[in-house]
Amino acid sequence: MKNNLPLNLNLTTPRMNTFETLLKKISNAKPLDFGTIISESIELFKKVWLKGFLIMLFLVIAAVCIGFAFRLIGLAPDPFDLNNGFSFETVTGFYSQNAIYSIPQTILISTLTLAFVAAFYRICKQVDSGENVNDDYFYFFNKSYFTKVFMLGIIHALISAVAQLLLFIPYIYVLVPLAYFAIILANNPDLSEIEIVKASFALGNKKWLITFGTMFVTGVLGMLGMLACGIGLFFTIAIVYLPVFLIYKEVIGFNTYSEIEQIGVNDDSDY
């Protein structure tokens, strides 16, 4: 039978097109205004503070349970010992040892954090766009996604451990790209783990300074909850997640899967 398919037919998959679209948008991203991101973070926080409180509550409960379980089985990192005196060698030795021995615990905490924060971003998107809000905080614990979330948790923990072993500056650097794992996952769950990591580092590198700056400022604002006898921190600290959400919104947007964009990606003409 004669093949009548056109020779220039593009056979790339929608998932591949989505990844290429993400990278293209990141590459062409325009400068963002620092003050605008901060003010929009505050305004969005006013709408989602209770949802953020619940996410932080889930995270703290999960972290406490995991820490208790690891201490119970004797796999928790040793506490810092000052009996041998305080020195640079003592601190760096403890720092390195803690980074290595805490990897199993960090993998579990990273996995749960990614799942909860991705669900939080999904809810934030619904609130921000005026959609009907579905408060499904366990959305990414679904078997369709959890294996992917667990693999991302492993990657997240290993990158963090390596960065910690290289001491302070590399660890500060990777905090920004790692912060984009959850938002990329939340809006592009069909991407592979490696594609999510690549897109996160591409966006983190492109917008590193404004991401770090806005996260620092919102982190300071979030710490104001400490003034309420410490318990207020649970209600305020979730604001630190919102700059990443808003930067993603400005750079990439929430219409990655639209048919118009897919036609644009498949088009062989120049942009």
Side-chain angles (χ1 to χ4, degrees):
M1 182 181 293
K2 193 171 182 179
N3 190 345
N4 294 321
L5 288 174
L7 294 178
N8 62 346
L9 181 63
N10 193 328
L11 297 178
T12 55
T13 65
R15 184 177 62 80
M16 185 179 296
N17 288 339
T18 300
F19 179 60
E20 293 172 352
T21 300
L22 285 176
L23 295 184
K24 183 166 291 188
K25 286 186 173 184
I26 292 169
S27 178
N28 297 329
K30 297 179 180 179
L32 301 176
D33 183 72
F34 184 92
T36 300
I37 298 297
I38 295 295
S39 61
E40 289 184 355
S41 295
I42 295 172
E43 290 303 313
L44 181 57
F45 179 71
K46 293 176 182 178
K47 301 176 183 178
V48 300
W49 67 269
L50 182 57
K51 305 175 193 305
F53 163 73
L54 292 174
I55 288 294
M56 298 311 303
L57 191 61
F58 291 144
L59 288 176
V60 170
I61 292 173
V64 170
C65 291
I66 291 173
F68 178 77
F70 272 79
R71 287 188 181 89
L72 197 63
I73 61 178
L75 293 179
D78 295 328
F80 185 60
D81 185 9
L82 289 174
N83 292 330
N84 296 324
F86 184 86
S87 65
F88 179 76
E89 291 78 10
T90 303
V91 173
T92 54
F94 169 77
Y95 184 82
S96 302
Q97 184 183 38
N98 186 69
I100 294 173
Y101 288 125
S102 65
I103 287 178
Q105 186 172 339
T106 304
I107 288 174
L108 293 180
I109 293 176
S110 296
T111 300
L112 295 177
T113 300
L114 284 173
F116 280 125
V117 175
F120 178 57
Y121 284 142
R122 186 171 175 269
I123 295 170
C124 287
K125 175 187 171 183
Q126 294 169 350
V127 171
D128 185 66
S129 59
E131 302 174 16
N132 292 326
V133 179
N134 178 18
D135 291 347
D136 189 351
Y137 300 101
F138 298 92
Y139 182 84
F140 289 97
F141 287 87
N142 185 293
K143 62 181 180 180
S144 301
Y145 299 119
F146 192 72
T147 300
K148 181 175 294 185
V149 175
F150 182 64
M151 289 303 300
L152 287 171
I154 293 174
I155 296 171
H156 190 290
L158 292 178
I159 292 174
S160 296
V162 171
Q164 287 183 57
L165 290 173
L166 296 175
L167 298 183
F168 191 69
I169 294 178
Y171 186 62
I172 291 295
Y173 159 72
V174 299
L175 284 178
V176 170
L178 291 177
Y180 282 100
F181 275 29
I183 188 66
I184 299 290
L185 170 66
N187 291 283
N188 309 276
D190 292 333
L191 293 182
S192 69
E193 295 88 340
I194 296 302
E195 288 171 337
I196 291 173
V197 172
K198 288 181 178 179
S200 298
F201 271 83
L203 183 52
N205 289 333
K206 184 74 173 182
K207 297 297 180 183
W208 194 93
L209 190 59
I210 190 171
T211 303
F212 181 81
T214 51
M215 287 178 65
F216 179 81
V217 172
T218 52
V220 172
L221 294 176
M223 292 298 291
L224 293 177
M226 291 290 292
L227 299 177
C229 301
I231 192 66
L233 188 64
F234 287 94
F235 291 92
T236 58
I237 197 61
I239 193 175
V240 76
Y241 293 116
L242 298 183
V244 165
F245 173 85
L246 292 166
I247 291 170
Y248 178 94
K249 174 186 172 183
E250 293 298 323
V251 173
I252 297 173
F254 298 128
N255 298 316
T256 306
Y257 289 95
S258 70
E259 294 180 3
I260 294 176
E261 286 188 347
Q262 294 302 332
I263 293 172
V265 171
N266 288 333
D267 191 357
D268 290 330
S269 61
D270 294 333
Y271 286 85

